[in-house]
Coordinates of all heavy atoms in Angstrom, one line a residue:
A1 N 13.5 24.5 5.2 CA 12.6 23.4 5.7 C 12.3 22.5 4.5 O 12.0 23.0 3.4 CB 11.4 23.9 6.3
L2 N 12.4 21.2 4.8 CA 12.1 20.2 3.7 C 10.7 19.6 4.0 O 10.4 19.3 5.1 CB 13.2 19.1 3.7 CG 14.6 19.5 3.4 CD1 15.5 18.4 3.7 CD2 14.7 20.0 2.0
P3 N 9.9 19.3 2.9 CA 8.6 18.7 3.1 C 8.8 17.1 3.2 O 9.5 16.5 2.4 CB 7.8 19.1 1.9 CG 8.9 19.3 0.9 CD 10.1 19.8 1.6
I4 N 8.1 16.6 4.2 CA 8.0 15.1 4.3 C 6.6 14.8 3.9 O 5.7 15.3 4.5 CB 8.3 14.6 5.7 CG1 9.8 15.0 6.2 CG2 8.1 13.1 5.9 CD1 10.1 14.7 7.6
S5 N 6.5 13.9 2.9 CA 5.1 13.6 2.4 C 4.8 12.2 2.3 O 3.7 11.7 2.0 CB 4.9 14.3 1.1 OG 5.9 13.8 0.1
N6 N 5.7 11.3 2.6 CA 5.5 9.9 2.5 C 6.0 9.1 3.7 O 7.0 9.4 4.2 CB 6.2 9.2 1.3 CG 5.6 9.8 0.0 OD1 4.5 9.8 -0.2 ND2 6.5 10.2 -0.9
C7 N 5.2 8.2 4.3 CA 5.7 7.4 5.4 C 5.1 6.0 5.2 O 4.1 5.7 4.6 CB 5.3 8.0 6.7 SG 3.5 8.1 7.0
Y8 N 5.9 5.0 5.7 CA 5.6 3.6 5.5 C 5.9 2.9 6.8 O 6.8 3.2 7.5 CB 6.4 2.9 4.4 CG 6.2 3.6 3.1 CD1 7.0 4.7 2.7 CD2 5.1 3.4 2.2 CE1 6.8 5.4 1.5 CE2 4.9 4.0 1.1 CZ 5.8 5.0 0.7 OH 5.6 5.7 -0.5
L9 N 5.0 1.9 7.1 CA 5.2 1.1 8.3 C 5.1 -0.4 7.9 O 4.3 -0.8 7.1 CB 4.0 1.4 9.3 CG 3.8 0.5 10.5 CD1 4.9 0.7 11.5 CD2 2.5 0.9 11.1
V10 N 6.0 -1.2 8.5 CA 6.0 -2.6 8.3 C 5.7 -3.3 9.6 O 6.4 -3.0 10.6 CB 7.4 -3.1 7.7 CG1 7.4 -4.6 7.6 CG2 7.8 -2.4 6.5
I11 N 4.6 -4.0 9.6 CA 4.3 -4.8 10.9 C 4.5 -6.3 10.7 O 4.4 -6.8 9.6 CB 2.8 -4.5 11.3 CG1 1.8 -5.0 10.3 CG2 2.7 -3.0 11.7 CD1 0.4 -4.9 10.9
G12 N 4.9 -6.9 11.8 CA 5.3 -8.3 11.8 C 4.2 -9.2 12.4 O 4.4 -10.4 12.5
T13 N 3.1 -8.6 12.9 CA 2.1 -9.5 13.5 C 0.7 -9.0 13.0 O 0.5 -7.8 12.8 CB 2.1 -9.3 15.1 OG1 2.1 -8.0 15.4 CG2 3.3 -9.9 15.7
A14 N -0.2 -9.9 13.0 CA -1.6 -9.5 12.7 C -2.2 -8.8 13.9 O -1.8 -9.0 15.0 CB -2.5 -10.7 12.3
I15 N -3.1 -7.8 13.7 CA -3.7 -7.1 14.8 C -5.2 -7.4 14.8 O -5.8 -7.6 13.7 CB -3.4 -5.6 14.8 CG1 -4.0 -4.8 13.6 CG2 -1.9 -5.4 15.0 CD1 -3.8 -3.4 13.7
V16 N -5.8 -7.3 16.0 CA -7.3 -7.5 16.1 C -8.0 -6.3 15.9 O -8.9 -6.2 15.0 CB -7.6 -8.1 17.4 CG1 -9.1 -8.3 17.6 CG2 -6.9 -9.5 17.7
G17 N -7.7 -5.2 16.6 CA -8.3 -3.9 16.4 C -7.5 -3.1 15.5 O -6.5 -3.4 15.0
S18 N -8.1 -1.9 15.2 CA -7.3 -0.9 14.3 C -6.3 -0.2 15.1 O -6.4 -0.1 16.3 CB -8.3 0.0 13.6 OG -9.0 0.8 14.6
A19 N -5.4 0.4 14.4 CA -4.3 1.1 15.1 C -3.9 2.3 14.2 O -4.1 2.3 13.0 CB -3.1 0.2 15.3
T20 N -3.4 3.4 14.8 CA -3.0 4.6 14.1 C -1.6 5.0 14.7 O -1.4 5.0 15.9 CB -3.9 5.7 14.3 OG1 -5.3 5.3 13.9 CG2 -3.5 7.0 13.6
L21 N -0.7 5.2 13.8 CA 0.7 5.7 14.1 C 0.8 7.1 13.6 O 0.7 7.3 12.4 CB 1.7 4.8 13.5 CG 3.2 5.0 13.9 CD1 3.4 4.7 15.4 CD2 4.2 4.3 13.1
T22 N 1.0 8.0 14.5 CA 1.1 9.4 14.2 C 2.5 9.9 14.5 O 3.0 9.8 15.5 CB 0.1 10.3 15.1 OG1 -1.2 9.7 14.9 CG2 0.1 11.7 14.7
L23 N 3.1 10.6 13.5 CA 4.4 11.3 13.7 C 4.1 12.6 14.6 O 3.2 13.4 14.3 CB 5.0 11.7 12.4 CG 6.4 12.4 12.5 CD1 7.4 11.4 13.1 CD2 6.8 12.8 11.2
R24 N 5.0 12.8 15.6 CA 4.9 13.9 16.5 C 6.1 14.8 16.2 O 7.2 14.3 16.1 CB 4.7 13.5 17.9 CG 3.4 12.7 18.2 CD 3.3 12.2 19.6 NE 3.5 13.1 20.6 CZ 2.6 14.0 21.2 NH1 1.3 13.9 20.7 NH2 2.9 14.8 22.1
K25 N 5.9 16.1 16.1 CA 6.9 17.0 15.9 C 6.9 18.1 17.1 O 5.9 18.7 17.4 CB 6.7 17.8 14.6 CG 7.6 18.9 14.2 CD 7.2 19.5 12.9 CE 7.8 20.8 12.7 NZ 7.3 21.4 11.4
N26 N 8.0 18.1 17.8 CA 8.2 19.0 19.0 C 7.0 18.7 19.9 O 6.5 19.7 20.5 CB 8.2 20.4 18.5 CG 9.4 20.7 17.6 OD1 10.5 20.1 17.7 ND2 9.2 21.6 16.6
G27 N 6.7 17.4 20.1 CA 5.7 17.1 21.2 C 4.3 17.2 20.8 O 3.3 17.0 21.5
E28 N 4.0 17.6 19.5 CA 2.6 17.8 19.0 C 2.3 16.8 17.9 O 3.2 16.5 17.0 CB 2.4 19.2 18.5 CG 2.6 20.3 19.6 CD 1.6 20.2 20.6 OE1 0.4 19.9 20.3 OE2 1.9 20.6 21.8
D29 N 1.1 16.3 17.8 CA 0.7 15.5 16.7 C 0.8 16.3 15.4 O 0.5 17.5 15.3 CB -0.7 15.0 16.8 CG -0.9 14.0 17.9 OD1 0.1 13.6 18.5 OD2 -2.0 13.6 18.2
T30 N 1.2 15.6 14.3 CA 1.3 16.2 13.0 C 0.2 15.6 12.1 O -0.5 14.7 12.5 CB 2.6 15.9 12.2 OG1 2.8 14.6 11.9 CG2 3.8 16.4 13.1
A31 N 0.1 16.0 10.8 CA -0.8 15.5 9.9 C -0.4 14.2 9.2 O -1.1 13.6 8.4 CB -1.1 16.5 8.8
L32 N 0.9 13.7 9.5 CA 1.4 12.5 8.9 C 0.9 11.3 9.8 O 1.4 11.1 10.9 CB 2.9 12.6 8.9 CG 3.6 11.8 7.8 CD1 3.1 12.2 6.4 CD2 5.1 12.1 7.9
V33 N 0.1 10.5 9.2 CA -0.6 9.4 10.0 C -0.6 8.1 9.1 O -0.8 8.2 7.9 CB -2.0 9.8 10.3 CG1 -2.8 8.7 10.9 CG2 -2.1 11.1 11.2
I34 N -0.3 7.0 9.8 CA -0.5 5.7 9.2 C -1.6 5.0 9.9 O -1.6 4.8 11.1 CB 0.8 4.9 9.2 CG1 2.0 5.6 8.6 CG2 0.6 3.5 8.6 CD1 3.3 4.9 8.8
T35 N -2.6 4.6 9.1 CA -3.7 3.9 9.8 C -3.7 2.4 9.4 O -3.5 2.0 8.2 CB -5.1 4.4 9.3 OG1 -5.2 5.8 9.7 CG2 -6.3 3.7 9.9
I36 N -3.8 1.5 10.4 CA -3.8 0.1 10.1 C -5.2 -0.4 10.5 O -5.6 -0.4 11.6 CB -2.8 -0.6 11.0 CG1 -1.4 0.0 10.9 CG2 -2.7 -2.1 10.7 CD1 -0.4 -0.4 11.9
P37 N -6.0 -0.9 9.5 CA -7.4 -1.4 9.7 C -7.4 -2.6 10.6 O -6.4 -3.4 10.7 CB -7.9 -1.7 8.3 CG -6.9 -1.0 7.3 CD -5.6 -1.0 8.0
A38 N -8.5 -2.7 11.3 CA -8.8 -3.9 12.1 C -8.6 -5.2 11.3 O -9.1 -5.2 10.2 CB -10.2 -3.8 12.8
G39 N -8.0 -6.2 11.9 CA -7.9 -7.5 11.3 C -6.8 -7.5 10.3 O -6.6 -8.5 9.5
S40 N -6.0 -6.5 10.2 CA -4.8 -6.4 9.3 C -3.8 -7.5 9.6 O -3.6 -7.9 10.8 CB -4.1 -5.1 9.2 OG -5.0 -4.1 8.8
T41 N -3.1 -8.0 8.6 CA -2.1 -9.0 8.8 C -0.7 -8.3 8.6 O -0.6 -7.1 8.4 CB -2.2 -10.1 7.8 OG1 -2.2 -9.6 6.4 CG2 -3.6 -10.8 7.9
T42 N 0.3 -9.1 8.7 CA 1.7 -8.6 8.5 C 1.8 -7.9 7.1 O 1.1 -8.3 6.2 CB 2.7 -9.7 8.6 OG1 2.5 -10.7 7.5 CG2 2.6 -10.4 9.9
G43 N 2.6 -6.9 7.0 CA 2.8 -6.3 5.7 C 3.2 -4.8 5.8 O 3.5 -4.3 6.9
I44 N 3.1 -4.1 4.7 CA 3.5 -2.7 4.6 C 2.3 -1.9 4.5 O 1.4 -2.1 3.7 CB 4.4 -2.5 3.3 CG1 5.7 -3.3 3.4 CG2 4.8 -1.0 3.2 CD1 6.5 -3.4 2.2
Y45 N 2.2 -0.8 5.3 CA 1.1 0.1 5.2 C 1.7 1.6 5.0 O 2.7 1.9 5.6 CB 0.3 0.1 6.6 CG -0.3 -1.3 6.7 CD1 0.4 -2.3 7.4 CD2 -1.6 -1.5 6.3 CE1 -0.1 -3.6 7.4 CE2 -2.1 -2.8 6.4 CZ -1.4 -3.9 7.0 OH -1.9 -5.1 7.1
S46 N 1.0 2.3 4.1 CA 1.5 3.7 3.8 C 0.6 4.7 4.6 O -0.6 4.4 4.9 CB 1.5 3.9 2.3 OG 0.2 3.8 1.8
G47 N 1.2 5.8 4.8 CA 0.6 6.9 5.5 C 0.1 8.0 4.6 O 0.3 8.0 3.4
T48 N -0.6 9.0 5.1 CA -1.1 10.2 4.5 C -0.7 11.4 5.2 O -0.3 11.3 6.4 CB -2.6 10.1 4.4 OG1 -3.2 10.2 5.8 CG2 -3.2 8.9 3.7
G49 N -0.7 12.5 4.6 CA -0.4 13.8 5.1 C 1.0 14.3 4.7 O 1.7 13.6 4.0
A50 N 1.3 15.5 5.1 CA 2.6 16.1 4.8 C 2.9 17.1 5.8 O 2.1 17.8 6.4 CB 2.5 16.8 3.4
I51 N 4.2 17.2 6.1 CA 4.7 18.2 7.1 C 6.1 18.8 6.7 O 6.6 18.3 5.7 CB 4.9 17.6 8.5 CG1 5.9 16.4 8.4 CG2 3.5 17.1 9.0 CD1 6.3 15.8 9.7
S52 N 6.5 19.9 7.3 CA 7.8 20.4 7.0 C 8.8 20.0 8.0 O 8.4 19.7 9.2 CB 7.7 21.9 6.9 OG 7.4 22.5 8.1
Y53 N 10.0 19.9 7.6 CA 11.1 19.4 8.5 C 12.2 20.4 8.7 O 12.6 21.0 7.7 CB 11.7 18.1 7.8 CG 13.0 17.7 8.5 CD1 13.0 16.9 9.6 CD2 14.2 18.0 7.9 CE1 14.2 16.5 10.1 CE2 15.4 17.6 8.4 CZ 15.4 16.9 9.5 OH 16.6 16.4 10.1
S54 N 12.7 20.5 9.8 CA 13.9 21.4 10.1 C 14.8 20.6 11.0 O 14.3 19.8 11.8 CB 13.4 22.7 10.8 OG 14.5 23.4 11.2
S55 N 16.1 20.9 10.9 CA 17.1 20.1 11.7 C 16.9 20.5 13.2 O 17.4 19.7 14.1 CB 18.5 20.5 11.3 OG 18.7 21.9 11.5
T56 N 16.2 21.5 13.6 CA 16.0 21.8 15.0 C 14.8 21.1 15.6 O 14.6 21.2 16.8 CB 15.9 23.3 15.2 OG1 14.7 23.8 14.5 CG2 17.1 24.0 14.8
N57 N 14.0 20.4 14.8 CA 12.8 19.7 15.4 C 13.2 18.5 16.1 O 14.2 17.8 15.8 CB 11.9 19.4 14.2 CG 11.3 20.5 13.4 OD1 11.3 20.6 12.2 ND2 10.9 21.6 14.1
T58 N 12.3 18.1 17.1 CA 12.4 16.9 17.7 C 11.2 16.0 17.2 O 10.2 16.5 16.9 CB 12.4 16.9 19.3 OG1 11.1 17.5 19.7 CG2 13.5 17.7 19.8
W59 N 11.5 14.6 17.1 CA 10.5 13.7 16.5 C 10.2 12.6 17.4 O 11.1 12.1 18.1 CB 11.0 13.2 15.2 CG 11.4 14.3 14.3 CD1 12.6 14.9 14.1 CD2 10.5 15.0 13.4 NE1 12.6 15.9 13.2 CE2 11.2 16.0 12.7 CE3 9.2 14.9 13.1 CZ2 10.7 16.8 11.8 CZ3 8.6 15.8 12.2 CH2 9.3 16.7 11.6
S60 N 9.0 12.1 17.4 CA 8.6 10.9 18.1 C 7.3 10.3 17.4 O 6.7 11.0 16.5 CB 8.2 11.2 19.6 OG 7.2 12.1 19.7
W61 N 7.0 9.1 17.8 CA 5.8 8.5 17.2 C 4.8 8.2 18.3 O 5.2 7.9 19.4 CB 6.2 7.1 16.6 CG 7.0 7.3 15.4 CD1 8.4 7.2 15.3 CD2 6.5 7.5 14.0 NE1 8.8 7.4 14.0 CE2 7.7 7.6 13.2 CE3 5.3 7.8 13.4 CZ2 7.6 7.9 11.8 CZ3 5.3 8.0 12.1 CH2 6.4 8.0 11.3
K62 N 3.5 8.3 18.0 CA 2.5 7.9 18.9 C 1.6 6.8 18.3 O 1.0 7.0 17.2 CB 1.6 9.2 19.3 CG 0.4 8.9 20.2 CD -0.3 10.1 20.6 CE -1.3 10.5 19.5 NZ -2.2 11.6 19.9
L63 N 1.5 5.7 19.0 CA 0.7 4.6 18.6 C -0.6 4.5 19.4 O -0.5 4.5 20.6 CB 1.5 3.3 18.7 CG 0.7 2.0 18.3 CD1 0.4 2.0 16.8 CD2 1.5 0.8 18.7
T64 N -1.7 4.5 18.8 CA -3.0 4.4 19.5 C -3.8 3.2 18.9 O -3.6 2.9 17.7 CB -3.9 5.7 19.4 OG1 -4.0 6.0 18.0 CG2 -3.1 6.8 20.0
G65 N -4.7 2.7 19.6 CA -5.5 1.5 19.2 C -4.7 0.3 19.4 O -3.8 0.2 20.2
A66 N -5.2 -0.8 18.8 CA -4.6 -2.1 18.8 C -4.5 -2.6 20.3 O -3.5 -3.2 20.7 CB -3.3 -2.2 18.1
T67 N -5.5 -2.3 21.1 CA -5.3 -2.5 22.5 C -5.6 -4.0 22.9 O -5.4 -4.4 24.0 CB -6.3 -1.7 23.3 OG1 -7.6 -1.8 22.8 CG2 -6.0 -0.2 23.2
T68 N -6.2 -4.8 21.9 CA -6.5 -6.2 22.2 C -5.4 -7.1 22.1 O -5.4 -8.3 22.4 CB -7.7 -6.6 21.4 OG1 -7.4 -6.5 20.0 CG2 -9.0 -5.8 21.7
N69 N -4.3 -6.7 21.5 CA -3.1 -7.5 21.3 C -1.9 -6.7 21.0 O -2.0 -5.4 20.8 CB -3.3 -8.6 20.2 CG -3.3 -8.0 18.8 OD1 -3.9 -7.0 18.6 ND2 -2.7 -8.6 17.8
A70 N -0.7 -7.2 21.1 CA 0.5 -6.5 20.9 C 0.7 -6.3 19.3 O 0.2 -7.1 18.5 CB 1.7 -7.2 21.4
I71 N 1.4 -5.3 18.9 CA 1.8 -5.0 17.5 C 3.3 -5.0 17.5 O 3.9 -4.4 18.3 CB 1.1 -3.8 17.1 CG1 1.4 -3.6 15.6 CG2 1.5 -2.6 17.8 CD1 0.6 -2.4 14.9
Q72 N 3.8 -5.7 16.5 CA 5.2 -5.8 16.3 C 5.5 -4.8 15.1 O 5.1 -5.1 13.9 CB 5.7 -7.2 15.9 CG 7.1 -7.3 15.6 CD 7.5 -8.7 15.2 OE1 6.9 -9.6 15.6 NE2 8.5 -8.8 14.3
I73 N 6.2 -3.7 15.3 CA 6.6 -2.8 14.3 C 8.1 -3.2 13.9 O 9.0 -3.0 14.7 CB 6.6 -1.3 14.8 CG1 5.1 -1.0 15.2 CG2 7.1 -0.4 13.7 CD1 4.9 0.4 15.7
N74 N 8.2 -3.5 12.6 CA 9.5 -3.9 12.1 C 10.3 -2.8 11.6 O 11.5 -2.8 11.6 CB 9.4 -5.0 11.1 CG 8.9 -6.3 11.6 OD1 8.9 -6.6 12.9 ND2 8.4 -7.2 10.8
N75 N 9.6 -1.8 11.0 CA 10.3 -0.7 10.3 C 9.3 0.4 10.1 O 8.1 0.2 9.8 CB 10.8 -1.2 8.9 CG 11.8 -0.2 8.3 OD1 12.3 0.6 9.0 ND2 12.0 -0.3 7.0
V76 N 9.8 1.6 10.2 CA 9.0 2.8 9.9 C 10.0 3.7 9.0 O 11.2 3.9 9.3 CB 8.7 3.7 11.1 CG1 7.9 4.9 10.7 CG2 7.8 2.8 12.0
A77 N 9.5 4.2 7.9 CA 10.3 4.9 6.9 C 9.6 6.2 6.6 O 8.4 6.3 6.4 CB 10.7 4.1 5.7
L78 N 10.4 7.3 6.4 CA 9.9 8.6 5.9 C 10.7 9.0 4.7 O 11.9 8.6 4.5 CB 10.1 9.7 7.0 CG 9.4 9.5 8.3 CD1 10.0 10.5 9.3 CD2 7.9 9.6 8.2
S79 N 10.1 9.7 3.8 CA 10.8 10.3 2.7 C 10.5 11.8 2.5 O 9.4 12.2 2.9 CB 10.5 9.5 1.4 OG 9.2 9.7 1.0
Y80 N 11.4 12.4 1.9 CA 11.2 13.9 1.7 C 11.8 14.3 0.4 O 12.5 13.6 -0.2 CB 11.9 14.7 2.8 CG 13.4 14.6 2.9 CD1 14.3 15.4 2.1 CD2 14.0 13.6 3.7 CE1 15.6 15.2 2.2 CE2 15.3 13.4 3.7 CZ 16.2 14.2 3.0 OH 17.5 14.0 3.1
K81 N 11.3 15.4 -0.1 CA 11.7 15.9 -1.4 C 12.5 17.1 -1.3 O 12.3 17.9 -0.4 CB 10.4 16.2 -2.3 CG 9.6 15.0 -2.5 CD 8.4 15.3 -3.4 CE 7.6 14.1 -3.6 NZ 6.5 14.3 -4.4

């Protein structure tokens, strides 16, 4: 298993409310989270947390918040050591 400890998100629109993007592993939330503060503009946001990776895992993202307007996600990146 490889550890994933860095994640980055690029958004293309400003958001009114705050938002959180959580990496899900095998259908469950992980500790790898990117928080976008309320009133954020376009740009790059980094995440916190670390998880282990295996080739048998399934992955998805969960976006919560930012309910007052749409959010444009241009890119999400993960890195591992």
Side-chain angles (χ1 to χ4, degrees):
L2 298 171
I4 298 174
S5 58
N6 296 309
C7 59
Y8 303 92
L9 169 70
V10 179
I11 63 171
T13 54
I15 64 171
V16 176
S18 63
T20 302
L21 188 68
T22 304
L23 181 64
R24 296 174 53 86
K25 175 179 161 183
N26 300 325
E28 300 291 328
D29 289 357
T30 68
L32 205 56
V33 175
I34 302 171
T35 301
I36 307 166
S40 294
T41 59
T42 61
I44 301 171
Y45 297 87
S46 60
T48 60
I51 59 171
S52 62
Y53 167 83
S54 171
S55 62
T56 59
N57 298 134
T58 58
W59 303 94
S60 61
W61 292 96
K62 179 174 80 174
L63 179 65
T64 55
T67 57
T68 57
N69 67 322
I71 183 170
Q72 176 185 329
I73 298 175
N74 292 344
N75 191 19
V76 178
L78 299 170
S79 64
Y80 61 91
K81 296 180 182 182

